[in-house]
Amino acid sequence: MTTPGQPGAPQEKETGESAKDGGGGVPVLPGSDAETERVRRFWSVRRIPAALLAAVVLGGAGLLLYDVAAVRADHSAMSWRRELADALATRPLDSATILAAAGAAVLLGVWLLVLASTPGLRAVLPMRRAHPDVRAGLDREAAALALRDRAMEVSGVQSVKVTVGRAKVAVRAVSHFRPLDDVREDVESVLADGVEELGLARPPALTVRVARPPKKG
């Protein structure tokens, strides 16, 4: 019989703690599961729209500031500002010119809001995150090329056209021999494995169509 003061008791306690840690006595640090973490799309920098908007705002603000400073210095205002002020004071609000300008401003504002609230970079597909600090993406053209090469290895396939989207992969194959159903099954099987091996965060659905080559003459 072993008492707490004898050497056998600490050994029992250490063995119990080792089993609780998962075996081997190696503690497991708590952390987030990278596989279950939601992978978001990549955001586009949109340098061209930002540069165009900045140029327009900077040019308009500079021109207006120069005209205001000229008026403060006892110079006459620019003709365009006098004509604009007279038009806004005399022209009715329901005229075609004002309505067209207002519609263009609304469309421009909606376009800027869409650019600001959407990720962009539709050509890059996010991949599964094997590490929480690393993000990877796959270009659609590269994914389509990899799937096309795999489909060309199927017996009976003469040519393949692959279109990779965010939610769907459309495959159109041309087979010059073998039954079309057999070729379609083989292509679907090969490309299903190929889509899985791409490592995408959201594997797209696969659609395969197989046809005979067009008859010449």
Side-chain angles (χ1 to χ4, degrees), residues 183-196:
V183 176
R184 184 183 300 107
E185 291 179 0
D186 292 346
V187 172
E188 288 179 351
S189 177
V190 169
L191 293 188
D193 296 337
V195 170
E196 182 65 26

Side-chain angles (χ1 to χ4, degrees), residues 174-211:
V174 176
S175 176
H176 55 296
F177 71 93
R178 292 184 65 198
L180 296 181
D181 293 338
D182 296 343
V183 176
R184 184 183 300 107
E185 291 179 0
D186 292 346
V187 172
E188 288 179 351
S189 177
V190 169
L191 293 188
D193 296 337
V195 170
E196 182 65 26
E197 292 177 0
L198 291 178
L200 300 178
R202 298 177 182 178
L206 181 63
T207 302
V208 179
R209 296 181 181 180
V210 181

Side-chain angles (χ1 to χ4, degrees), residues 10-27:
Q11 293 181 1
E12 278 188 43
K13 184 177 181 181
E14 182 179 357
T15 305
E17 291 180 355
S18 301
K20 184 178 181 180
D21 291 338
V26 180

Side-chain angles (χ1 to χ4, degrees), residues 40-169:
R40 300 183 181 274
R41 290 173 52 191
F42 291 89
W43 280 79
S44 174
V45 180
R46 295 188 173 98
R47 293 185 177 90
I48 295 179
L52 292 177
L53 180 61
V56 170
V57 172
L58 181 61
L63 186 61
L64 183 60
L65 181 61
Y66 173 79
D67 189 44
V68 172
V71 172
R72 292 292 184 180
D74 296 333
H75 294 283
S76 61
M78 293 183 180
S79 60
W80 65 268
R81 195 157 73 95
R82 293 197 305 268
E83 293 176 0
L84 180 61
D86 294 339
L88 292 177
T90 59
R91 191 184 298 272
L93 296 178
D94 58 350
S95 64
T97 304
I98 294 182
L99 292 178
V106 170
L107 291 178
L108 179 61
V110 170
W111 179 60
L112 293 176
L113 289 176
V114 170
L115 290 181
S117 59
T118 55
L121 286 183
R122 302 177 65 87
V124 180
L125 300 174
M127 302 177 67
R128 289 192 294 266
R129 301 184 67 172
H131 193 277
D133 297 331
V134 179
R135 294 190 64 191
L138 182 62
D139 188 77
R140 289 189 185 184
E141 294 183 359
L145 183 61
L147 295 178
R148 185 188 69 83
D149 292 342
R150 297 199 60 164
M152 288 295 297
E153 298 176 357
V154 177
S155 177
V157 175
Q158 183 179 9
S159 62
V160 181
K161 181 180 180 181
V162 180
T163 304
V164 178
R166 286 192 302 164
K168 182 179 179 181
V169 175

